[in-house]
Amino acid sequence: MTPPEAFKCLADETRARATLLIAEHGELCVCELMCALEDNQSKISRHLAQLRAAGLLLDRRQGQWVYYRLNPNLPEWFKDVLRITLEGNAAWLSDSSARLSRMDGRPERSTSCC
């Protein structure tokens, strides 16, 4: 992944917020991102598909849920960018994080997750 490819993916606010929330929480499903970002399923799924196609995210199915996580093979420089962005922008993500923490009925993750 080159810097232009990575930053192009994150140039959209929805993709940037989703990526940072996933980086912060380890993995999230579409319904959790819908709640956190206050957006509809089709828009969230479309953005997640773009992030997955670019190689930023991986997904896994657990029952009816599909969970998204950062690709562990991302370059270290990009992981550092995400970490520093998270550390320096807590206020920018605070509303989304608060909605996620108040979400009722969050899906249970398997303890034998990959």
Side-chain angles (χ1 to χ4, degrees), residues 41-97:
Q41 184 272 329
S42 63
K43 182 176 178 184
I44 298 296
S45 292
R46 184 177 71 246
H47 284 297
L48 291 170
Q50 288 176 299
L51 291 166
R52 195 179 60 232
L56 270 68
L57 300 181
L58 298 177
D59 63 350
R60 72 174 179 89
R61 181 168 291 280
Q62 179 184 314
Q64 67 183 15
W65 307 109
V66 178
Y67 293 95
Y68 292 86
R69 66 188 182 282
L70 291 179
N71 184 339
N73 297 320
L74 289 172
E76 286 305 313
W77 66 264
F78 188 71
K79 292 178 188 177
D80 290 342
V81 166
L82 293 176
R83 181 185 48 77
I84 291 166
T85 303
L86 270 172
E87 290 170 1
N89 293 280
W92 185 67
L93 282 175
S94 64
D95 289 345
S96 298
S97 294

Short mmCIF file of all heavy atoms in Angstrom, two decimals, residues 41-97:
data_model
loop_
_atom_site.label_atom_id
_atom_site.label_comp_id
_atom_site.label_asym_id
_atom_site.label_seq_id
_atom_site.Cartn_x
_atom_site.Cartn_y
_atom_site.Cartn_z
N GLN A 41 -27.36 1.19 6.62
CA GLN A 41 -26.60 -0.03 6.34
C GLN A 41 -25.95 0.00 4.98
O GLN A 41 -24.79 -0.38 4.84
CB GLN A 41 -27.53 -1.24 6.48
CG GLN A 41 -26.84 -2.57 6.30
CD GLN A 41 -26.81 -3.03 4.85
OE1 GLN A 41 -27.69 -2.72 4.08
NE2 GLN A 41 -25.77 -3.76 4.49
N SER A 42 -26.65 0.47 3.96
CA SER A 42 -26.07 0.43 2.62
C SER A 42 -24.85 1.35 2.50
O SER A 42 -23.85 0.98 1.88
CB SER A 42 -27.12 0.76 1.55
OG SER A 42 -27.60 2.07 1.72
N LYS A 43 -24.90 2.52 3.11
CA LYS A 43 -23.76 3.44 3.04
C LYS A 43 -22.57 2.88 3.81
O LYS A 43 -21.44 2.88 3.31
CB LYS A 43 -24.14 4.81 3.57
CG LYS A 43 -23.00 5.81 3.46
CD LYS A 43 -23.40 7.20 3.92
CE LYS A 43 -22.22 8.14 3.85
NZ LYS A 43 -22.57 9.47 4.38
N ILE A 44 -22.82 2.38 5.02
CA ILE A 44 -21.73 1.81 5.82
C ILE A 44 -21.12 0.61 5.10
O ILE A 44 -19.89 0.50 4.98
CB ILE A 44 -22.22 1.42 7.22
CG1 ILE A 44 -22.72 2.63 8.00
CG2 ILE A 44 -21.13 0.67 7.99
CD1 ILE A 44 -21.70 3.68 8.31
N SER A 45 -21.94 -0.27 4.58
CA SER A 45 -21.45 -1.46 3.88
C SER A 45 -20.64 -1.09 2.64
O SER A 45 -19.62 -1.71 2.34
CB SER A 45 -22.61 -2.38 3.49
OG SER A 45 -23.18 -2.93 4.64
N ARG A 46 -21.09 -0.09 1.92
CA ARG A 46 -20.36 0.37 0.72
C ARG A 46 -18.97 0.86 1.11
O ARG A 46 -17.97 0.52 0.46
CB ARG A 46 -21.15 1.46 0.00
CG ARG A 46 -20.51 1.90 -1.30
CD ARG A 46 -21.35 2.93 -2.05
NE ARG A 46 -21.31 4.21 -1.35
CZ ARG A 46 -22.34 4.80 -0.77
NH1 ARG A 46 -23.52 4.23 -0.76
NH2 ARG A 46 -22.21 5.96 -0.16
N HIS A 47 -18.88 1.66 2.17
CA HIS A 47 -17.58 2.17 2.60
C HIS A 47 -16.68 1.04 3.12
O HIS A 47 -15.48 1.02 2.84
CB HIS A 47 -17.76 3.25 3.67
CG HIS A 47 -18.21 4.55 3.10
ND1 HIS A 47 -17.46 5.30 2.22
CD2 HIS A 47 -19.36 5.24 3.28
CE1 HIS A 47 -18.10 6.40 1.89
NE2 HIS A 47 -19.27 6.39 2.51
N LEU A 48 -17.26 0.10 3.86
CA LEU A 48 -16.47 -1.03 4.34
C LEU A 48 -15.94 -1.87 3.17
O LEU A 48 -14.81 -2.35 3.21
CB LEU A 48 -17.29 -1.89 5.29
CG LEU A 48 -17.63 -1.25 6.64
CD1 LEU A 48 -18.63 -2.09 7.40
CD2 LEU A 48 -16.37 -1.01 7.46
N ALA A 49 -16.76 -2.04 2.14
CA ALA A 49 -16.32 -2.78 0.95
C ALA A 49 -15.14 -2.08 0.29
O ALA A 49 -14.19 -2.74 -0.17
CB ALA A 49 -17.48 -2.94 -0.02
N GLN A 50 -15.16 -0.76 0.24
CA GLN A 50 -14.05 -0.01 -0.34
C GLN A 50 -12.78 -0.18 0.49
O GLN A 50 -11.69 -0.37 -0.06
CB GLN A 50 -14.40 1.47 -0.47
CG GLN A 50 -15.43 1.75 -1.55
CD GLN A 50 -15.83 3.22 -1.57
OE1 GLN A 50 -16.37 3.74 -0.59
NE2 GLN A 50 -15.57 3.87 -2.68
N LEU A 51 -12.92 -0.13 1.80
CA LEU A 51 -11.76 -0.30 2.68
C LEU A 51 -11.21 -1.72 2.59
O LEU A 51 -9.99 -1.93 2.61
CB LEU A 51 -12.15 0.03 4.12
CG LEU A 51 -12.45 1.51 4.38
CD1 LEU A 51 -13.16 1.69 5.72
CD2 LEU A 51 -11.18 2.34 4.31
N ARG A 52 -12.09 -2.69 2.45
CA ARG A 52 -11.65 -4.08 2.30
C ARG A 52 -10.97 -4.29 0.96
O ARG A 52 -9.91 -4.93 0.88
CB ARG A 52 -12.85 -5.03 2.46
CG ARG A 52 -12.43 -6.47 2.66
CD ARG A 52 -13.61 -7.40 2.83
NE ARG A 52 -14.45 -7.35 1.64
CZ ARG A 52 -15.76 -7.12 1.63
NH1 ARG A 52 -16.42 -6.95 2.74
NH2 ARG A 52 -16.43 -7.09 0.51
N ALA A 53 -11.53 -3.73 -0.11
CA ALA A 53 -10.93 -3.86 -1.45
C ALA A 53 -9.55 -3.21 -1.51
O ALA A 53 -8.67 -3.69 -2.22
CB ALA A 53 -11.85 -3.24 -2.50
N ALA A 54 -9.35 -2.16 -0.73
CA ALA A 54 -8.05 -1.48 -0.69
C ALA A 54 -7.04 -2.21 0.19
O ALA A 54 -5.87 -1.87 0.21
CB ALA A 54 -8.23 -0.05 -0.19
N GLY A 55 -7.51 -3.23 0.91
CA GLY A 55 -6.61 -4.01 1.76
C GLY A 55 -6.45 -3.47 3.16
O GLY A 55 -5.64 -3.99 3.93
N LEU A 56 -7.22 -2.45 3.55
CA LEU A 56 -7.12 -1.91 4.90
C LEU A 56 -7.82 -2.78 5.93
O LEU A 56 -7.37 -2.86 7.07
CB LEU A 56 -7.71 -0.49 4.96
CG LEU A 56 -6.76 0.66 4.68
CD1 LEU A 56 -6.30 0.67 3.25
CD2 LEU A 56 -7.41 1.96 5.05
N LEU A 57 -8.92 -3.39 5.53
CA LEU A 57 -9.72 -4.20 6.46
C LEU A 57 -9.83 -5.64 6.00
O LEU A 57 -9.76 -5.93 4.80
CB LEU A 57 -11.15 -3.64 6.58
CG LEU A 57 -11.33 -2.23 7.09
CD1 LEU A 57 -12.82 -1.89 7.15
CD2 LEU A 57 -10.67 -2.02 8.44
N LEU A 58 -10.03 -6.52 6.97
CA LEU A 58 -10.41 -7.92 6.72
C LEU A 58 -11.75 -8.13 7.41
O LEU A 58 -12.11 -7.40 8.33
CB LEU A 58 -9.36 -8.87 7.31
CG LEU A 58 -7.96 -8.78 6.74
CD1 LEU A 58 -7.03 -9.75 7.48
CD2 LEU A 58 -7.94 -9.05 5.26
N ASP A 59 -12.45 -9.15 6.98
CA ASP A 59 -13.72 -9.45 7.62
C ASP A 59 -13.78 -10.92 8.00
O ASP A 59 -13.01 -11.74 7.50
CB ASP A 59 -14.91 -9.06 6.74
CG ASP A 59 -14.96 -9.83 5.43
OD1 ASP A 59 -14.00 -10.53 5.09
OD2 ASP A 59 -15.97 -9.73 4.72
N ARG A 60 -14.66 -11.22 8.93
CA ARG A 60 -14.91 -12.61 9.32
C ARG A 60 -16.38 -12.72 9.67
O ARG A 60 -17.00 -11.78 10.17
CB ARG A 60 -14.04 -13.04 10.50
CG ARG A 60 -14.44 -12.43 11.82
CD ARG A 60 -13.63 -13.01 13.00
NE ARG A 60 -14.05 -12.38 14.23
CZ ARG A 60 -15.03 -12.80 15.02
NH1 ARG A 60 -15.71 -13.89 14.71
NH2 ARG A 60 -15.35 -12.16 16.12
N ARG A 61 -16.94 -13.88 9.38
CA ARG A 61 -18.34 -14.14 9.66
C ARG A 61 -18.44 -14.96 10.94
O ARG A 61 -17.69 -15.91 11.15
CB ARG A 61 -18.98 -14.90 8.50
CG ARG A 61 -20.47 -15.19 8.72
CD ARG A 61 -21.14 -15.67 7.46
NE ARG A 61 -21.25 -14.64 6.45
CZ ARG A 61 -22.18 -13.68 6.44
NH1 ARG A 61 -23.07 -13.60 7.40
NH2 ARG A 61 -22.21 -12.80 5.47
N GLN A 62 -19.39 -14.55 11.79
CA GLN A 62 -19.71 -15.32 12.99
C GLN A 62 -21.23 -15.34 13.08
O GLN A 62 -21.85 -14.34 13.43
CB GLN A 62 -19.13 -14.65 14.24
CG GLN A 62 -19.47 -15.40 15.52
CD GLN A 62 -18.96 -14.65 16.74
OE1 GLN A 62 -17.83 -14.20 16.78
NE2 GLN A 62 -19.81 -14.52 17.74
N GLY A 63 -21.82 -16.45 12.69
CA GLY A 63 -23.27 -16.54 12.64
C GLY A 63 -23.82 -15.55 11.63
O GLY A 63 -23.38 -15.50 10.49
N GLN A 64 -24.75 -14.71 12.07
CA GLN A 64 -25.35 -13.73 11.15
C GLN A 64 -24.52 -12.46 11.04
O GLN A 64 -24.83 -11.59 10.23
CB GLN A 64 -26.75 -13.38 11.62
CG GLN A 64 -26.81 -12.62 12.93
CD GLN A 64 -28.23 -12.34 13.38
OE1 GLN A 64 -29.17 -12.94 12.87
NE2 GLN A 64 -28.37 -11.44 14.32
N TRP A 65 -23.48 -12.32 11.85
CA TRP A 65 -22.71 -11.09 11.89
C TRP A 65 -21.45 -11.19 11.04
O TRP A 65 -20.82 -12.24 10.96
CB TRP A 65 -22.29 -10.77 13.33
CG TRP A 65 -23.43 -10.76 14.29
CD1 TRP A 65 -23.67 -11.68 15.27
CD2 TRP A 65 -24.49 -9.81 14.36
NE1 TRP A 65 -24.83 -11.36 15.94
CE2 TRP A 65 -25.35 -10.21 15.41
CE3 TRP A 65 -24.81 -8.66 13.65
CZ2 TRP A 65 -26.48 -9.51 15.76
CZ3 TRP A 65 -25.95 -7.96 13.99
CH2 TRP A 65 -26.76 -8.38 15.03
N VAL A 66 -21.08 -10.08 10.43
CA VAL A 66 -19.79 -9.96 9.74
C VAL A 66 -19.01 -8.88 10.48
O VAL A 66 -19.49 -7.75 10.61
CB VAL A 66 -19.95 -9.60 8.25
CG1 VAL A 66 -18.60 -9.44 7.60
CG2 VAL A 66 -20.78 -10.66 7.53
N TYR A 67 -17.85 -9.24 10.97
CA TYR A 67 -17.00 -8.33 11.73
C TYR A 67 -15.84 -7.86 10.86
O TYR A 67 -15.27 -8.63 10.10
CB TYR A 67 -16.44 -9.03 12.97
CG TYR A 67 -17.50 -9.37 13.98
CD1 TYR A 67 -18.09 -10.63 14.00
CD2 TYR A 67 -17.92 -8.43 14.90
CE1 TYR A 67 -19.07 -10.93 14.93
CE2 TYR A 67 -18.90 -8.73 15.84
CZ TYR A 67 -19.47 -9.98 15.84
OH TYR A 67 -20.44 -10.28 16.75
N TYR A 68 -15.49 -6.60 11.04
CA TYR A 68 -14.39 -5.99 10.30
C TYR A 68 -13.28 -5.62 11.26
O TYR A 68 -13.53 -5.15 12.37
CB TYR A 68 -14.88 -4.74 9.56
CG TYR A 68 -15.85 -5.09 8.45
CD1 TYR A 68 -17.20 -5.25 8.71
CD2 TYR A 68 -15.38 -5.31 7.16
CE1 TYR A 68 -18.08 -5.61 7.71
CE2 TYR A 68 -16.27 -5.67 6.15
CZ TYR A 68 -17.60 -5.82 6.44
OH TYR A 68 -18.47 -6.18 5.44
N ARG A 69 -12.04 -5.87 10.84
CA ARG A 69 -10.87 -5.54 11.63
C ARG A 69 -9.78 -5.03 10.70
O ARG A 69 -9.84 -5.25 9.48
CB ARG A 69 -10.38 -6.75 12.41
CG ARG A 69 -9.85 -7.87 11.52
CD ARG A 69 -9.55 -9.13 12.31
NE ARG A 69 -8.99 -10.18 11.48
CZ ARG A 69 -9.67 -10.96 10.65
NH1 ARG A 69 -10.98 -10.80 10.52
NH2 ARG A 69 -9.08 -11.89 9.94
N LEU A 70 -8.79 -4.36 11.28
CA LEU A 70 -7.67 -3.90 10.46
C LEU A 70 -6.90 -5.10 9.94
O LEU A 70 -6.77 -6.11 10.63
CB LEU A 70 -6.72 -3.03 11.28
CG LEU A 70 -7.22 -1.67 11.73
CD1 LEU A 70 -6.14 -0.98 12.55
CD2 LEU A 70 -7.63 -0.82 10.55
N ASN A 71 -6.41 -4.97 8.74
CA ASN A 71 -5.57 -6.01 8.17
C ASN A 71 -4.25 -6.01 8.94
O ASN A 71 -3.55 -5.00 8.99
CB ASN A 71 -5.32 -5.69 6.68
CG ASN A 71 -4.53 -6.75 5.99
OD1 ASN A 71 -3.83 -7.54 6.61
ND2 ASN A 71 -4.62 -6.77 4.67
N PRO A 72 -3.88 -7.12 9.58
CA PRO A 72 -2.63 -7.15 10.36
C PRO A 72 -1.39 -6.98 9.49
O PRO A 72 -0.31 -6.69 10.02
CB PRO A 72 -2.66 -8.52 11.04
CG PRO A 72 -3.60 -9.34 10.22
CD PRO A 72 -4.59 -8.40 9.60
N ASN A 73 -1.52 -7.14 8.18
CA ASN A 73 -0.38 -7.00 7.28
C ASN A 73 -0.19 -5.57 6.75
O ASN A 73 0.60 -5.35 5.85
CB ASN A 73 -0.51 -7.97 6.10
CG ASN A 73 -0.48 -9.40 6.57
OD1 ASN A 73 0.28 -9.76 7.46
ND2 ASN A 73 -1.33 -10.23 5.99
N LEU A 74 -0.92 -4.61 7.34
CA LEU A 74 -0.73 -3.22 6.94
C LEU A 74 0.70 -2.80 7.26
O LEU A 74 1.29 -3.27 8.25
CB LEU A 74 -1.70 -2.31 7.69
CG LEU A 74 -3.16 -2.39 7.29
CD1 LEU A 74 -4.02 -1.58 8.26
CD2 LEU A 74 -3.36 -1.91 5.86
N PRO A 75 1.25 -1.91 6.45
CA PRO A 75 2.61 -1.43 6.76
C PRO A 75 2.66 -0.75 8.13
O PRO A 75 1.69 -0.11 8.55
CB PRO A 75 2.89 -0.41 5.65
CG PRO A 75 1.84 -0.61 4.61
CD PRO A 75 0.68 -1.30 5.27
N GLU A 76 3.78 -0.88 8.78
CA GLU A 76 3.94 -0.30 10.13
C GLU A 76 3.72 1.21 10.11
O GLU A 76 3.15 1.77 11.04
CB GLU A 76 5.32 -0.64 10.71
CG GLU A 76 5.44 -2.08 11.16
CD GLU A 76 4.38 -2.50 12.17
OE1 GLU A 76 4.14 -1.76 13.14
OE2 GLU A 76 3.78 -3.59 11.97
N TRP A 77 4.18 1.88 9.05
CA TRP A 77 4.00 3.34 9.00
C TRP A 77 2.52 3.70 9.03
O TRP A 77 2.13 4.70 9.63
CB TRP A 77 4.70 3.97 7.79
CG TRP A 77 4.12 3.58 6.45
CD1 TRP A 77 4.56 2.59 5.62
CD2 TRP A 77 2.99 4.18 5.80
NE1 TRP A 77 3.76 2.53 4.50
CE2 TRP A 77 2.79 3.51 4.58
CE3 TRP A 77 2.11 5.21 6.13
CZ2 TRP A 77 1.77 3.82 3.68
CZ3 TRP A 77 1.10 5.54 5.24
CH2 TRP A 77 0.94 4.84 4.03
N PHE A 78 1.67 2.86 8.39
CA PHE A 78 0.24 3.16 8.36
C PHE A 78 -0.40 2.88 9.71
O PHE A 78 -1.26 3.63 10.18
CB PHE A 78 -0.45 2.38 7.24
CG PHE A 78 -1.88 2.79 7.05
CD1 PHE A 78 -2.19 4.02 6.49
CD2 PHE A 78 -2.91 1.97 7.43
CE1 PHE A 78 -3.52 4.42 6.33
CE2 PHE A 78 -4.23 2.34 7.28
CZ PHE A 78 -4.53 3.58 6.72
N LYS A 79 0.02 1.80 10.36
CA LYS A 79 -0.47 1.53 11.71
C LYS A 79 -0.10 2.68 12.65
O LYS A 79 -0.90 3.07 13.50
CB LYS A 79 0.11 0.21 12.23
CG LYS A 79 -0.41 -1.02 11.50
CD LYS A 79 0.27 -2.26 12.04
CE LYS A 79 -0.06 -3.48 11.23
NZ LYS A 79 0.65 -4.68 11.72
N ASP A 80 1.11 3.23 12.48
CA ASP A 80 1.52 4.38 13.28
C ASP A 80 0.65 5.59 13.01
O ASP A 80 0.27 6.32 13.93
CB ASP A 80 2.99 4.73 13.02
CG ASP A 80 3.97 3.71 13.56
OD1 ASP A 80 3.58 2.89 14.43
OD2 ASP A 80 5.12 3.70 13.09
N VAL A 81 0.31 5.83 11.75
CA VAL A 81 -0.57 6.94 11.40
C VAL A 81 -1.91 6.79 12.10
O VAL A 81 -2.44 7.75 12.67
CB VAL A 81 -0.76 7.05 9.86
CG1 VAL A 81 -1.92 7.96 9.50
CG2 VAL A 81 0.52 7.52 9.20
N LEU A 82 -2.48 5.59 12.07
CA LEU A 82 -3.77 5.36 12.73
C LEU A 82 -3.66 5.57 14.23
O LEU A 82 -4.53 6.21 14.84
CB LEU A 82 -4.29 3.96 12.41
CG LEU A 82 -4.69 3.70 10.97
CD1 LEU A 82 -5.10 2.24 10.79
CD2 LEU A 82 -5.79 4.64 10.51
N ARG A 83 -2.62 5.05 14.84
CA ARG A 83 -2.43 5.18 16.29
C ARG A 83 -2.29 6.65 16.68
O ARG A 83 -2.97 7.12 17.61
CB ARG A 83 -1.19 4.39 16.74
CG ARG A 83 -0.93 4.46 18.24
CD ARG A 83 0.37 3.76 18.63
NE ARG A 83 1.51 4.12 17.80
CZ ARG A 83 2.19 5.26 17.91
NH1 ARG A 83 1.85 6.16 18.80
NH2 ARG A 83 3.23 5.50 17.13
N ILE A 84 -1.46 7.39 15.98
CA ILE A 84 -1.24 8.81 16.29
C ILE A 84 -2.52 9.60 16.03
O ILE A 84 -2.86 10.50 16.81
CB ILE A 84 -0.06 9.36 15.46
CG1 ILE A 84 1.25 8.71 15.95
CG2 ILE A 84 0.01 10.87 15.53
CD1 ILE A 84 2.43 8.91 15.02
N THR A 85 -3.23 9.27 14.98
CA THR A 85 -4.50 9.96 14.68
C THR A 85 -5.51 9.70 15.78
O THR A 85 -6.22 10.62 16.22
CB THR A 85 -5.04 9.52 13.31
OG1 THR A 85 -4.04 9.78 12.32
CG2 THR A 85 -6.31 10.27 12.96
N LEU A 86 -5.60 8.47 16.25
CA LEU A 86 -6.50 8.15 17.36
C LEU A 86 -6.13 8.93 18.62
O LEU A 86 -6.98 9.51 19.28
CB LEU A 86 -6.45 6.65 17.67
CG LEU A 86 -7.43 5.76 16.94
CD1 LEU A 86 -7.10 4.30 17.21
CD2 LEU A 86 -8.85 6.07 17.33
N GLU A 87 -4.85 8.92 18.94
CA GLU A 87 -4.38 9.59 20.16
C GLU A 87 -4.65 11.09 20.11
O GLU A 87 -4.97 11.70 21.12
CB GLU A 87 -2.89 9.34 20.37
CG GLU A 87 -2.55 7.91 20.75
CD GLU A 87 -1.06 7.61 20.73
OE1 GLU A 87 -0.26 8.52 20.43
OE2 GLU A 87 -0.71 6.45 21.00
N GLY A 88 -4.51 11.69 18.95
CA GLY A 88 -4.63 13.14 18.84
C GLY A 88 -6.01 13.66 18.49
O GLY A 88 -6.19 14.87 18.38
N ASN A 89 -6.98 12.77 18.31
CA ASN A 89 -8.30 13.20 17.85
C ASN A 89 -9.45 12.56 18.60
O ASN A 89 -10.51 12.31 18.03
CB ASN A 89 -8.43 12.93 16.34
CG ASN A 89 -7.49 13.79 15.55
OD1 ASN A 89 -7.78 14.95 15.30
ND2 ASN A 89 -6.35 13.24 15.17
N ALA A 90 -9.26 12.35 19.88
CA ALA A 90 -10.31 11.73 20.68
C ALA A 90 -11.60 12.55 20.64
O ALA A 90 -12.70 12.00 20.57
CB ALA A 90 -9.84 11.54 22.11
N ALA A 91 -11.48 13.86 20.65
CA ALA A 91 -12.67 14.72 20.63
C ALA A 91 -13.45 14.55 19.33
O ALA A 91 -14.69 14.57 19.33
CB ALA A 91 -12.28 16.19 20.82
N TRP A 92 -12.75 14.37 18.22
CA TRP A 92 -13.39 14.22 16.92
C TRP A 92 -14.22 12.93 16.86
O TRP A 92 -15.24 12.86 16.21
CB TRP A 92 -12.34 14.24 15.80
CG TRP A 92 -12.89 14.21 14.42
CD1 TRP A 92 -13.61 15.18 13.80
CD2 TRP A 92 -12.75 13.15 13.46
NE1 TRP A 92 -13.94 14.79 12.52
CE2 TRP A 92 -13.42 13.55 12.29
CE3 TRP A 92 -12.13 11.90 13.49
CZ2 TRP A 92 -13.48 12.76 11.15
CZ3 TRP A 92 -12.18 11.13 12.35
CH2 TRP A 92 -12.85 11.55 11.20
N LEU A 93 -13.78 11.91 17.59
CA LEU A 93 -14.47 10.63 17.61
C LEU A 93 -15.38 10.45 18.82
O LEU A 93 -16.08 9.44 18.92
CB LEU A 93 -13.46 9.48 17.60
CG LEU A 93 -12.81 9.13 16.28
CD1 LEU A 93 -11.75 8.06 16.49
CD2 LEU A 93 -13.82 8.68 15.26
N SER A 94 -15.40 11.41 19.72
CA SER A 94 -16.10 11.21 21.00
C SER A 94 -17.59 10.94 20.84
O SER A 94 -18.13 10.07 21.53
CB SER A 94 -15.87 12.39 21.94
OG SER A 94 -16.44 13.57 21.41
N ASP A 95 -18.28 11.65 19.96
CA ASP A 95 -19.72 11.40 19.78
C ASP A 95 -19.96 9.99 19.25
O ASP A 95 -20.86 9.29 19.72
CB ASP A 95 -20.35 12.43 18.84
CG ASP A 95 -20.46 13.81 19.47
OD1 ASP A 95 -20.33 13.93 20.70
OD2 ASP A 95 -20.67 14.78 18.71
N SER A 96 -19.17 9.58 18.26
CA SER A 96 -19.31 8.24 17.70
C SER A 96 -19.02 7.17 18.74
O SER A 96 -19.75 6.18 18.86
CB SER A 96 -18.38 8.05 16.49
OG SER A 96 -18.70 8.96 15.47
N SER A 97 -17.97 7.36 19.51
CA SER A 97 -17.61 6.40 20.56
C SER A 97 -18.68 6.32 21.63
O SER A 97 -19.01 5.24 22.12
CB SER A 97 -16.27 6.78 21.19
OG SER A 97 -15.24 6.66 20.24
#
